[in-house]
């Protein structure tokens, strides 16, 4: 067994926050997430303000570390960005509300693999479940991730009614909330990164 940081400690520049969350995990299993967690960091840090913690994370750990060690990955993402721009010219991309995405934002769209990102999210939720319920969630229990967008009102509510966070309440680099349904025992989770700029909805179906 080993202690795992939740979320992965690679999302925080040094000196790391003093209120990091940890949970016991199987060491071989935990090690199998290493590359996906590095990939996940690309998604979380992308688009951050350059003078923010995430902006510095992008510069120091993504550009100067991940991409320098893996130029093939950087080239793959660059090629994918070109494909997105060409596709957008023929079939304009839309956001969750069905509104066309402005042309000036398309060059910043990253073609990331959702399966790898969701795999890390599910691990984070399993660790948080263990922290709060003191019980290991069976691998057979499904965690479904929703694409339903969050409203500004929901984000504000989560920030106020949060169950936990890492960092400080000003930056809200990572903050989470959950609620268990009386009807079927399922647990709804919302994870916020970058103060809600990046977020995930998920449900543990008990």
């Amino acid at each position: 067994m080993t202690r795992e940081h939740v979320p992965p400690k690679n999302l925080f520049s040094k000196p790391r926050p003093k209120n990091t969350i940890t949970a016991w995990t199987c060491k071989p299993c935990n090690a199998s997430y290493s590359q996906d967690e590095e990939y996940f960091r690309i998604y979380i840090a992308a688009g951050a303000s350059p003078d923010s913690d995430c902006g510095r994370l992008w510069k120091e750990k993504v550009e100067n570390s991940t991409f320098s060690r893996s130029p093939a990955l950087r080239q793959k993402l660059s090629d994918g960005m070109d494909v997105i721009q060409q596709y957008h010219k023929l079939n304009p991309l839309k956001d969750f509300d069905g509104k066309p995405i402005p042309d000036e934002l398309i060059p910043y769209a990253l073609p990331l693999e959702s399966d790898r990102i969701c795999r890390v999210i599910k691990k984070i939720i399993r660790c948080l479940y263990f922290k709060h319920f003191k019980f290991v969630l069976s691998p057979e229990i499904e965690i479904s991730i929703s694409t339903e967008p969050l409203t500004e009102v929901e984000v504000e509510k989560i920030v106020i009614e949060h169950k936990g966070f890492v960092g400080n309440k000003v930056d809200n680099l990572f903050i989470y909330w959950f609620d268990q349904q009386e009807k079927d025992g399922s647990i709804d989770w919302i994870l916020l990164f970058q103060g809600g700029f990046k977020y995930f909805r998920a449900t543990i179906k008990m």
Side-chain angles (χ1 to χ4, degrees), residues 47-147:
S49 172
D51 58 352
S52 68
D53 286 342
C54 267
R56 290 188 288 274
L57 187 70
W58 176 270
K59 184 66 176 179
E60 296 171 6
K61 297 300 183 179
V62 177
E63 287 191 351
N64 296 340
S65 181
T66 300
F67 287 161
S68 64
R69 287 184 289 102
S70 183
L73 173 59
R74 183 170 193 162
Q75 187 61 51
K76 181 180 179 181
L77 293 176
S78 178
D79 292 343
M81 292 171 74
D82 291 340
V83 171
I84 289 175
Q85 292 181 57
Q86 292 302 318
Y87 180 88
H88 178 71
K89 291 178 181 178
L90 301 175
N91 302 279
L93 298 174
K94 299 179 180 180
D95 62 17
F96 286 115
D97 295 325
K99 299 177 182 178
I101 297 177
D103 292 343
E104 60 269 21
L105 295 182
I106 298 301
Y108 300 99
L110 280 176
L112 297 173
E113 300 173 35
S114 61
D115 288 348
R116 297 183 68 179
I117 292 172
C118 289
R119 184 169 183 255
V120 175
I121 286 298
K122 290 178 180 180
K123 177 190 175 184
I124 291 173
I125 290 175
R126 287 182 179 276
C127 289
L128 291 175
Y129 178 89
F130 179 79
K131 168 182 169 59
H132 286 276
F133 295 91
K134 312 302 180 186
F135 184 78
V136 176
L137 199 61
S138 168
E140 285 73 34
I141 292 181
E142 179 185 355
I143 299 177
S144 62
I145 297 180
S146 170
T147 58

Side-chain angles (χ1 to χ4, degrees), residues 13-69:
S13 299
K14 294 182 179 180
R16 297 189 178 97
K18 295 181 180 180
N19 61 335
T20 54
I21 301 169
T22 60
W24 287 107
T25 61
C26 168
K27 191 171 184 178
C29 177
N30 190 30
S32 73
Y33 282 83
S34 177
Q35 291 187 351
D36 284 342
E37 288 177 349
E38 189 169 15
Y39 191 85
F40 182 76
R41 180 172 62 191
I42 296 174
Y43 171 74
I44 293 301
S49 172
D51 58 352
S52 68
D53 286 342
C54 267
R56 290 188 288 274
L57 187 70
W58 176 270
K59 184 66 176 179
E60 296 171 6
K61 297 300 183 179
V62 177
E63 287 191 351
N64 296 340
S65 181
T66 300
F67 287 161
S68 64
R69 287 184 289 102

Side-chain angles (χ1 to χ4, degrees), residues 146-160:
S146 170
T147 58
E148 182 183 354
L150 282 179
T151 66
E152 291 184 8
V153 173
E154 287 178 306
V155 171
E156 291 176 2
K157 176 183 177 182
I158 293 162
V159 170
I160 294 173

